[in-house]
Amino acid sequence: MNTIETVAVIGLGYIGLPTAAILAGNGIHVIGVDVNPGTVESVNCGEVPFVEPDLASYVAGAVSQHKLSASTETPSAQAYIVAVPTPFNADHTADVTYIKAAARGIAPKLVGGELVILESTSPPGTTQLLGDYLISLRPDLSLDGADGKPSIHVAHCPERVLPGRIMIELVTNDRIVGGLTPEAAQLAKALYAVFCQGEILVTDAATAEMAKLVENSYRDVNIAFANELSVISDKLGINVWELIKLANHHPRVNILQPGPGVGGHCIAVDPWFIVAAAPEEAQLIRQARETNDSKPDWVVKKVQEAVGETVSPKIAVLGLAFKANIDDLRESPAVAIVEKLSAKLDGAELLVVEPHVDRLPRQLAGLSNVVLQDLEPAVATADAVLLLVDHDDFREMDQQLMAGKPVLDTRGIWQ
């Protein structure tokens, strides 16, 4: 294949749109594809449909230079990057519905020689599944040139970026590229080298898939240790924040900070893919997931204890995002906690403060006892305060507003 000049990015979410913008900013002609007409319209206007620092300037610049456009239809391109969701099913296996839908859009456009990269986080074997599915739709093509059929090149390159720092880490982080064939891996490496200043490490597709799952499972296990410490410390009357600070003075100890649970589409999801792939062997990984998934129920119990016998309490709930200073609510434990409180606290009014969104998410929008409110009036009128996300707005608020009120700080920012 000659130098890639045209790339279609399928899925313009938190990973797809930044990837499209950074490629376009480096001279590649990029067509973003999304099923949401609103997202397509926003991108074509040079606007960003979600909060991510620096992304807006990249998108606006690329659109104005006619290097980035968006469509609801998959175009012909030399390379395709699939960055669609991979949620898990009820049994914690991966739901590959969106990957297959992307493949159905790509398949009619293939003529042979194209590069297809799966960026979506997925269990080992999913890239092979994608390749096989494409060939089932286009039996005139092959994955390796067998029987003289034109080949397509399929690879996996998992994203490794932190929301809030995506535009920086897309460039600076090392990347892992795994191909179904060595040629596919090298072609993918060459494409990412257009913008990636980190080391690009080449392996096979299944190992690349597993590497991403292992990275997030490692973090999940360590967060579970911190969350379990917080529950134990509460029972023993110990300040967990002071405890961790003291323990971390040991030169070989670095305990993470506890929280109300684990959210986002990576750490809260990826470990389950390992558990599903090896259910008998993944004991520690499963326990970590269960520990972190149980933390929201513990927080709800602590809120119930804090309001006690208060009749029709008003509770200021600070934060809905899954981490600080972003608007991403995917798998957020804060959203789950508000849902549970709404159901369990009879007569309570939940005054939700989330400075990065202008409307409640679907799960909460229909609940009559949940309202979105500004910070100061919510805290001032509340009988109790529950902090779930360590947004800068909450760190900087006047703490005198909380004087005399029960406060449950699940992030330790006011300790």
Side-chain angles (χ1 to χ4, degrees):
M1 180 187 291
N2 297 324
T3 302
I4 292 173
E5 298 177 350
T6 305
V7 176
V9 177
I10 316 300
L12 295 178
Y14 290 90
I15 300 301
L17 184 54
T19 301
I22 203 100
L23 280 167
N26 282 274
I28 304 290
H29 180 63
V30 182
I31 305 98
V33 181
D34 201 275
V35 297
N36 186 335
T39 296
V40 169
E41 182 180 356
S42 292
V43 172
N44 283 331
C45 291
E47 299 171 355
V48 176
F50 51 84
V51 175
E52 178 58 43
D54 303 323
L55 176 59
S57 60
Y58 274 88
V59 170
V63 170
S64 68
Q65 294 169 17
H66 306 291
K67 287 294 185 179
L68 174 64
S69 61
S71 173
T72 56
E73 300 294 327
T74 304
S76 296
Q78 293 170 289
Y80 297 87
I81 295 177
V82 178
V84 297
T86 47
F88 55 76
N89 296 308
D91 62 355
H92 294 136
T93 57
D95 179 353
V96 297
T97 302
Y98 299 107
I99 293 176
K100 286 189 171 183
R104 288 193 294 273
I106 293 169
K109 305 298 181 179
L110 299 174
V111 297
E114 292 91 351
L115 172 64
V116 181
I117 298 173
L118 178 64
E119 276 213 11
S120 305
T121 302
S122 48
T126 309
T127 304
Q128 184 69 58
L129 180 148
L130 170 61
D132 291 343
Y133 189 60
L134 285 169
I135 298 305
S136 75
L137 297 170
R138 289 294 305 275
D140 56 315
L141 302 175
S142 71
L143 297 175
D144 55 7
D147 301 323
K149 295 178 179 179
S151 60
I152 57 173
H153 308 286
V154 182
H156 182 64
C157 184
E159 55 84 9
R160 309 171 90 193
V161 293
L162 183 69
R165 286 180 49 86
I166 290 177
M167 302 313 293
I168 296 169
E169 295 196 357
L170 271 177
V171 175
T172 60
N173 284 3
D174 295 343
R175 297 297 292 258
I176 298 172
V177 173
L180 293 185
T181 63
E183 185 179 4
Q186 291 301 325
L187 288 169
K189 178 180 179 179
L191 179 59
Y192 284 98
V194 167
F195 64 86
C196 180
Q197 297 174 5
E199 186 175 0
I200 302 175
L201 307 162
V202 175
T203 184
D204 60 88
T207 303
E209 290 164 332
M210 188 65 170
K212 172 63 185 293
L213 304 183
V214 166
E215 290 165 7
N216 284 322
S217 295
Y218 172 84
R219 296 184 65 204
D220 197 42
V221 168
N222 283 275
I223 294 169
F225 179 70
N227 278 335
E228 188 166 285
L229 276 184
S230 72
V231 174
I232 294 169
S233 297
D234 181 75
K235 182 175 182 177
L236 300 179
I238 294 171
N239 183 318
V240 69
W241 315 102
E242 181 185 8
L243 173 65
I244 291 174
K245 182 179 179 180
L246 292 170
N248 282 348
H249 276 273
H250 189 289
R252 289 174 295 281
V253 173
N254 184 24
I255 303 169
L256 301 181
Q257 299 297 299
V262 173
H265 188 61
C266 290
I267 300 177
V269 176
D270 298 357
W272 284 123
F273 294 162
I274 297 180
V275 174
E280 296 301 319
E281 293 78 11
Q283 298 297 316
L284 179 62
I285 295 170
R286 181 197 299 274
Q287 183 57 58
R289 271 287 73 233
E290 291 174 351
T291 296
N292 287 330
D293 278 351
S294 70
K295 193 68 185 294
D297 287 323
W298 182 84
V299 173
V300 169
K301 180 181 177 183
K302 298 303 295 183
V303 174
Q304 289 175 303
E305 293 174 358
V307 298
E309 301 301 320
T310 305
V311 178
S312 302
K314 290 186 177 182
I315 302 168
V317 182
L318 309 189
L320 286 180
F322 83 82
K323 67 183 294 290
N325 303 323
I326 63 172
D327 66 345
D328 194 344
L329 308 186
R330 290 177 297 174
E331 308 295 332
S332 174
V335 174
I337 287 167
V338 173
E339 271 193 287
K340 292 173 185 289
L341 287 172
S342 172
K344 292 193 173 187
L345 288 179
D346 291 336
E349 186 176 8
L350 304 176
L351 312 175
V352 174
V353 181
E354 177 45 75
H356 299 285
V357 303
D358 56 12
R359 63 175 64 89
L360 290 170
R362 174 183 50 80
Q363 305 97 303
L364 306 180
L367 303 178
S368 60
N369 58 345
V370 179
V371 296
L372 192 63
Q373 200 166 87
D374 291 334
L375 178 59
E376 289 196 6
V379 175
T381 60
D383 298 301
V385 178
L386 169 63
L387 179 110
L388 296 175
V389 188
D390 47 337
H391 290 316
D392 288 345
D393 299 61
F394 305 151
R395 291 180 182 275
E396 298 163 2
M397 68 175 281
D398 181 3
Q399 294 185 39
Q400 287 301 312
L401 291 170
M402 301 183 290
K405 305 175 190 285
V407 175
L408 181 56
D409 176 3
T410 69
R411 296 287 183 174
I413 68 172
W414 299 320
Q415 300 300 313

PDB file of all heavy atoms in Angstrom, residues 298-314:
ATOM      1  N   TRP A 298     -22.552   0.795  49.383  1.00  0.00           N
ATOM      2  CA  TRP A 298     -22.002   1.223  50.671  1.00  0.00           C
ATOM      3  C   TRP A 298     -22.204   2.729  50.862  1.00  0.00           C
ATOM      4  O   TRP A 298     -22.569   3.191  51.952  1.00  0.00           O
ATOM      5  CB  TRP A 298     -20.513   0.864  50.742  1.00  0.00           C
ATOM      6  CG  TRP A 298     -19.854   1.221  52.037  1.00  0.00           C
ATOM      7  CD1 TRP A 298     -19.846   0.483  53.189  1.00  0.00           C
ATOM      8  CD2 TRP A 298     -19.102   2.410  52.332  1.00  0.00           C
ATOM      9  NE1 TRP A 298     -19.130   1.132  54.175  1.00  0.00           N
ATOM     10  CE2 TRP A 298     -18.663   2.318  53.675  1.00  0.00           C
ATOM     11  CE3 TRP A 298     -18.752   3.522  51.584  1.00  0.00           C
ATOM     12  CZ2 TRP A 298     -17.886   3.301  54.260  1.00  0.00           C
ATOM     13  CZ3 TRP A 298     -17.982   4.526  52.184  1.00  0.00           C
ATOM     14  CH2 TRP A 298     -17.566   4.406  53.508  1.00  0.00           C
ATOM     15  N   VAL A 299     -21.989   3.510  49.801  1.00  0.00           N
ATOM     16  CA  VAL A 299     -22.187   4.959  49.876  1.00  0.00           C
ATOM     17  C   VAL A 299     -23.650   5.274  50.179  1.00  0.00           C
ATOM     18  O   VAL A 299     -23.952   6.139  51.021  1.00  0.00           O
ATOM     19  CB  VAL A 299     -21.747   5.635  48.561  1.00  0.00           C
ATOM     20  CG1 VAL A 299     -22.119   7.123  48.570  1.00  0.00           C
ATOM     21  CG2 VAL A 299     -20.245   5.471  48.353  1.00  0.00           C
ATOM     22  N   VAL A 300     -24.566   4.582  49.516  1.00  0.00           N
ATOM     23  CA  VAL A 300     -25.997   4.799  49.760  1.00  0.00           C
ATOM     24  C   VAL A 300     -26.333   4.529  51.227  1.00  0.00           C
ATOM     25  O   VAL A 300     -27.066   5.302  51.871  1.00  0.00           O
ATOM     26  CB  VAL A 300     -26.836   3.902  48.834  1.00  0.00           C
ATOM     27  CG1 VAL A 300     -28.309   3.911  49.256  1.00  0.00           C
ATOM     28  CG2 VAL A 300     -26.707   4.357  47.385  1.00  0.00           C
ATOM     29  N   LYS A 301     -25.784   3.465  51.766  1.00  0.00           N
ATOM     30  CA  LYS A 301     -26.019   3.140  53.180  1.00  0.00           C
ATOM     31  C   LYS A 301     -25.503   4.248  54.093  1.00  0.00           C
ATOM     32  O   LYS A 301     -26.172   4.621  55.075  1.00  0.00           O
ATOM     33  CB  LYS A 301     -25.342   1.815  53.513  1.00  0.00           C
ATOM     34  CG  LYS A 301     -25.521   1.368  54.943  1.00  0.00           C
ATOM     35  CD  LYS A 301     -24.800   0.056  55.215  1.00  0.00           C
ATOM     36  CE  LYS A 301     -24.912  -0.356  56.682  1.00  0.00           C
ATOM     37  NZ  LYS A 301     -24.154  -1.592  56.967  1.00  0.00           N
ATOM     38  N   LYS A 302     -24.332   4.799  53.775  1.00  0.00           N
ATOM     39  CA  LYS A 302     -23.767   5.873  54.608  1.00  0.00           C
ATOM     40  C   LYS A 302     -24.635   7.136  54.527  1.00  0.00           C
ATOM     41  O   LYS A 302     -24.796   7.845  55.529  1.00  0.00           O
ATOM     42  CB  LYS A 302     -22.341   6.196  54.165  1.00  0.00           C
ATOM     43  CG  LYS A 302     -21.354   5.043  54.303  1.00  0.00           C
ATOM     44  CD  LYS A 302     -21.278   4.501  55.716  1.00  0.00           C
ATOM     45  CE  LYS A 302     -20.724   5.487  56.705  1.00  0.00           C
ATOM     46  NZ  LYS A 302     -20.594   4.896  58.065  1.00  0.00           N
ATOM     47  N   VAL A 303     -25.223   7.420  53.367  1.00  0.00           N
ATOM     48  CA  VAL A 303     -26.113   8.571  53.244  1.00  0.00           C
ATOM     49  C   VAL A 303     -27.369   8.344  54.070  1.00  0.00           C
ATOM     50  O   VAL A 303     -27.837   9.256  54.771  1.00  0.00           O
ATOM     51  CB  VAL A 303     -26.482   8.828  51.767  1.00  0.00           C
ATOM     52  CG1 VAL A 303     -27.529   9.929  51.659  1.00  0.00           C
ATOM     53  CG2 VAL A 303     -25.243   9.208  50.966  1.00  0.00           C
ATOM     54  N   GLN A 304     -27.917   7.144  54.013  1.00  0.00           N
ATOM     55  CA  GLN A 304     -29.103   6.826  54.813  1.00  0.00           C
ATOM     56  C   GLN A 304     -28.823   7.032  56.296  1.00  0.00           C
ATOM     57  O   GLN A 304     -29.650   7.570  57.033  1.00  0.00           O
ATOM     58  CB  GLN A 304     -29.543   5.390  54.547  1.00  0.00           C
ATOM     59  CG  GLN A 304     -30.146   5.170  53.166  1.00  0.00           C
ATOM     60  CD  GLN A 304     -30.470   3.709  52.897  1.00  0.00           C
ATOM     61  OE1 GLN A 304     -29.602   2.848  52.971  1.00  0.00           O
ATOM     62  NE2 GLN A 304     -31.728   3.433  52.575  1.00  0.00           N
ATOM     63  N   GLU A 305     -27.648   6.617  56.742  1.00  0.00           N
ATOM     64  CA  GLU A 305     -27.270   6.815  58.145  1.00  0.00           C
ATOM     65  C   GLU A 305     -27.116   8.294  58.469  1.00  0.00           C
ATOM     66  O   GLU A 305     -27.489   8.753  59.560  1.00  0.00           O
ATOM     67  CB  GLU A 305     -25.959   6.078  58.434  1.00  0.00           C
ATOM     68  CG  GLU A 305     -26.070   4.558  58.366  1.00  0.00           C
ATOM     69  CD  GLU A 305     -24.708   3.871  58.505  1.00  0.00           C
ATOM     70  OE1 GLU A 305     -23.690   4.602  58.608  1.00  0.00           O
ATOM     71  OE2 GLU A 305     -24.668   2.629  58.475  1.00  0.00           O
ATOM     72  N   ALA A 306     -26.590   9.081  57.513  1.00  0.00           N
ATOM     73  CA  ALA A 306     -26.326  10.502  57.757  1.00  0.00           C
ATOM     74  C   ALA A 306     -27.619  11.299  57.917  1.00  0.00           C
ATOM     75  O   ALA A 306     -27.702  12.199  58.759  1.00  0.00           O
ATOM     76  CB  ALA A 306     -25.491  11.088  56.616  1.00  0.00           C
ATOM     77  N   VAL A 307     -28.636  10.983  57.111  1.00  0.00           N
ATOM     78  CA  VAL A 307     -29.886  11.748  57.216  1.00  0.00           C
ATOM     79  C   VAL A 307     -30.777  11.230  58.337  1.00  0.00           C
ATOM     80  O   VAL A 307     -31.663  11.941  58.816  1.00  0.00           O
ATOM     81  CB  VAL A 307     -30.655  11.752  55.875  1.00  0.00           C
ATOM     82  CG1 VAL A 307     -29.822  12.414  54.788  1.00  0.00           C
ATOM     83  CG2 VAL A 307     -31.066  10.352  55.450  1.00  0.00           C
ATOM     84  N   GLY A 308     -30.540   9.989  58.760  1.00  0.00           N
ATOM     85  CA  GLY A 308     -31.257   9.436  59.899  1.00  0.00           C
ATOM     86  C   GLY A 308     -32.753   9.544  59.779  1.00  0.00           C
ATOM     87  O   GLY A 308     -33.353   9.110  58.790  1.00  0.00           O
ATOM     88  N   GLU A 309     -33.366  10.161  60.765  1.00  0.00           N
ATOM     89  CA  GLU A 309     -34.820  10.288  60.812  1.00  0.00           C
ATOM     90  C   GLU A 309     -35.327  11.601  60.216  1.00  0.00           C
ATOM     91  O   GLU A 309     -36.501  11.945  60.390  1.00  0.00           O
ATOM     92  CB  GLU A 309     -35.287  10.184  62.273  1.00  0.00           C
ATOM     93  CG  GLU A 309     -34.916   8.878  62.957  1.00  0.00           C
ATOM     94  CD  GLU A 309     -35.499   7.668  62.252  1.00  0.00           C
ATOM     95  OE1 GLU A 309     -36.666   7.746  61.806  1.00  0.00           O
ATOM     96  OE2 GLU A 309     -34.788   6.652  62.126  1.00  0.00           O
ATOM     97  N   THR A 310     -34.461  12.348  59.554  1.00  0.00           N
ATOM     98  CA  THR A 310     -34.884  13.622  58.952  1.00  0.00           C
ATOM     99  C   THR A 310     -36.044  13.388  57.987  1.00  0.00           C
ATOM    100  O   THR A 310     -35.976  12.530  57.115  1.00  0.00           O
ATOM    101  CB  THR A 310     -33.713  14.279  58.194  1.00  0.00           C
ATOM    102  OG1 THR A 310     -32.601  14.431  59.078  1.00  0.00           O
ATOM    103  CG2 THR A 310     -34.125  15.638  57.645  1.00  0.00           C
ATOM    104  N   VAL A 311     -37.097  14.159  58.152  1.00  0.00           N
ATOM    105  CA  VAL A 311     -38.274  14.022  57.293  1.00  0.00           C
ATOM    106  C   VAL A 311     -38.044  14.783  55.984  1.00  0.00           C
ATOM    107  O   VAL A 311     -37.643  15.952  55.998  1.00  0.00           O
ATOM    108  CB  VAL A 311     -39.530  14.557  58.004  1.00  0.00           C
ATOM    109  CG1 VAL A 311     -40.742  14.465  57.074  1.00  0.00           C
ATOM    110  CG2 VAL A 311     -39.778  13.776  59.292  1.00  0.00           C
ATOM    111  N   SER A 312     -38.272  14.098  54.860  1.00  0.00           N
ATOM    112  CA  SER A 312     -38.112  14.703  53.525  1.00  0.00           C
ATOM    113  C   SER A 312     -36.805  15.477  53.394  1.00  0.00           C
ATOM    114  O   SER A 312     -36.787  16.689  53.118  1.00  0.00           O
ATOM    115  CB  SER A 312     -39.295  15.636  53.219  1.00  0.00           C
ATOM    116  OG  SER A 312     -40.515  14.932  53.279  1.00  0.00           O
ATOM    117  N   PRO A 313     -35.685  14.811  53.603  1.00  0.00           N
ATOM    118  CA  PRO A 313     -34.394  15.517  53.554  1.00  0.00           C
ATOM    119  C   PRO A 313     -34.042  15.986  52.148  1.00  0.00           C
ATOM    120  O   PRO A 313     -34.380  15.352  51.152  1.00  0.00           O
ATOM    121  CB  PRO A 313     -33.405  14.445  54.022  1.00  0.00           C
ATOM    122  CG  PRO A 313     -34.034  13.146  53.625  1.00  0.00           C
ATOM    123  CD  PRO A 313     -35.518  13.351  53.811  1.00  0.00           C
ATOM    124  N   LYS A 314     -33.356  17.119  52.107  1.00  0.00           N
ATOM    125  CA  LYS A 314     -32.765  17.594  50.859  1.00  0.00           C
ATOM    126  C   LYS A 314     -31.277  17.265  50.891  1.00  0.00           C
ATOM    127  O   LYS A 314     -30.583  17.625  51.847  1.00  0.00           O
ATOM    128  CB  LYS A 314     -32.968  19.103  50.695  1.00  0.00           C
ATOM    129  CG  LYS A 314     -34.401  19.514  50.429  1.00  0.00           C
ATOM    130  CD  LYS A 314     -34.491  21.010  50.140  1.00  0.00           C
ATOM    131  CE  LYS A 314     -35.927  21.415  49.797  1.00  0.00           C
ATOM    132  NZ  LYS A 314     -36.019  22.866  49.473  1.00  0.00           N
TER     133      LYS A 314
END
